[in-house]
Amino acid sequence: MTENPTENKPNKRKRPCLIAIGVVLSLIFIIFIICLVLALTVFKPKQPRTSLVSATVDGVTPRVSFPAIKISLNITVDLVILIENPNHASFKHGTGKSLLLYKGVQVGDVDLYPGEIPARGNGTMQAKLTMQADRLTSNMNNLVSDALSGEFVVEISSRIPGRINFLGFIKKHVVAVSDCELTVGVPSFKVKNQVCKNKTKF
């Protein structure tokens, strides 16, 4: 009994198709593994870090008003904030906010301009925080008393929202936070001590 050659043709045609499907599935699996490894290593979001590089007190103007004796201090704090981006992708931040507090009471604020920090790069932001006399009404006696003792302490709290962009379509929203406590000497009005805590909220 002889074998019919026509019966082997479908099998011969199926074999290349199965090989091609196997190759495609293998490539898809390899690409998946590569993407997974990259997602867990190179593209894993890292925390952008903010830090207060310098803070200088400027524009100190004591003012005494009559007939009721009232003492007030106009104080401006010049800030330089450093933003470090350790990611392999850019960090685009929106409008941030810095608050000036004295004894837990907000006495000034300023907007921080939006911008973009390149991958594995850094940038600085400058801002001026002015202590607003009308917000100090309840604490003015404490401020004057602290100033007469030789120093006073203010807090600066900064929030910078933004997102990390991977390959233009993978986006991770974060908020960089910096809280600093400054001890200002009197009468030099120089920053004697600076303690900061930095963190990032995903």
Side-chain angles (χ1 to χ4, degrees), residues 54-128:
S54 70
T56 56
V57 178
D58 189 20
V60 180
T61 308
R63 185 175 59 189
V64 180
S65 59
F66 297 98
I69 298 177
K70 184 178 179 182
I71 303 174
S72 63
L73 290 173
N74 293 327
I75 299 172
T76 299
V77 183
D78 293 323
L79 306 177
V80 178
I81 300 172
L82 174 68
I83 306 175
E84 299 175 271
N85 179 22
N87 293 281
H88 291 270
S90 62
F91 172 58
K92 187 174 184 179
H93 59 88
T95 301
K97 197 86 170 179
S98 276
L99 306 179
L100 180 65
L101 301 101
Y102 175 70
K103 296 192 179 298
V105 178
Q106 182 182 330
V107 294
D109 59 76
V110 66
D111 289 333
L112 303 174
Y113 292 110
E116 186 169 355
I117 309 299
R120 301 185 68 80
N122 56 65
T124 56
M125 306 173 66
Q126 295 182 336
K128 281 181 176 292

Side-chain angles (χ1 to χ4, degrees), residues 132-144:
Q132 300 171 8
D134 59 328
R135 297 187 185 183
L136 268 172
T137 303
S138 60
N139 275 318
M140 183 55 66
N141 291 336
N142 291 326
L143 179 60
V144 173

Side-chain angles (χ1 to χ4, degrees), residues 4-194:
N4 188 352
T6 58
E7 294 179 358
N8 294 329
K9 287 183 178 180
N11 292 332
K12 290 181 180 180
R13 291 175 182 173
K14 288 180 181 179
R15 193 174 301 165
C17 291
L18 292 174
I19 293 173
I21 292 173
V23 171
V24 171
L25 291 176
S26 298
L27 288 174
I28 292 174
F29 180 73
I30 292 171
I31 291 172
F32 172 77
I33 293 298
I34 292 173
C35 290
L36 181 62
V37 171
L38 289 175
L40 295 175
T41 55
V42 177
F43 292 148
K44 183 180 180 180
K46 299 178 180 66
Q47 296 182 356
R49 295 182 293 269
T50 60
S51 56
L52 187 61
V53 177
S54 70
T56 56
V57 178
D58 189 20
V60 180
T61 308
R63 185 175 59 189
V64 180
S65 59
F66 297 98
I69 298 177
K70 184 178 179 182
I71 303 174
S72 63
L73 290 173
N74 293 327
I75 299 172
T76 299
V77 183
D78 293 323
L79 306 177
V80 178
I81 300 172
L82 174 68
I83 306 175
E84 299 175 271
N85 179 22
N87 293 281
H88 291 270
S90 62
F91 172 58
K92 187 174 184 179
H93 59 88
T95 301
K97 197 86 170 179
S98 276
L99 306 179
L100 180 65
L101 301 101
Y102 175 70
K103 296 192 179 298
V105 178
Q106 182 182 330
V107 294
D109 59 76
V110 66
D111 289 333
L112 303 174
Y113 292 110
E116 186 169 355
I117 309 299
R120 301 185 68 80
N122 56 65
T124 56
M125 306 173 66
Q126 295 182 336
K128 281 181 176 292
L129 269 171
T130 300
M131 188 177 287
Q132 300 171 8
D134 59 328
R135 297 187 185 183
L136 268 172
T137 303
S138 60
N139 275 318
M140 183 55 66
N141 291 336
N142 291 326
L143 179 60
V144 173
S145 176
D146 287 347
L148 292 175
S149 71
E151 64 181 36
F152 62 91
V153 177
V154 294
E155 300 168 33
I156 296 174
S157 179
S158 301
R159 302 289 187 275
I160 303 174
R163 65 176 183 265
I164 304 167
N165 295 318
F166 294 103
L167 304 177
F169 64 92
I170 303 174
K171 299 178 181 180
K172 185 73 174 180
H173 291 271
V174 297
V175 179
V177 180
S178 176
D179 294 315
C180 296
E181 186 177 273
L182 307 181
T183 302
V184 181
V186 180
S188 66
F189 287 98
K190 303 292 184 183
V191 177
K192 295 171 58 177
N193 190 36
Q194 173 181 315

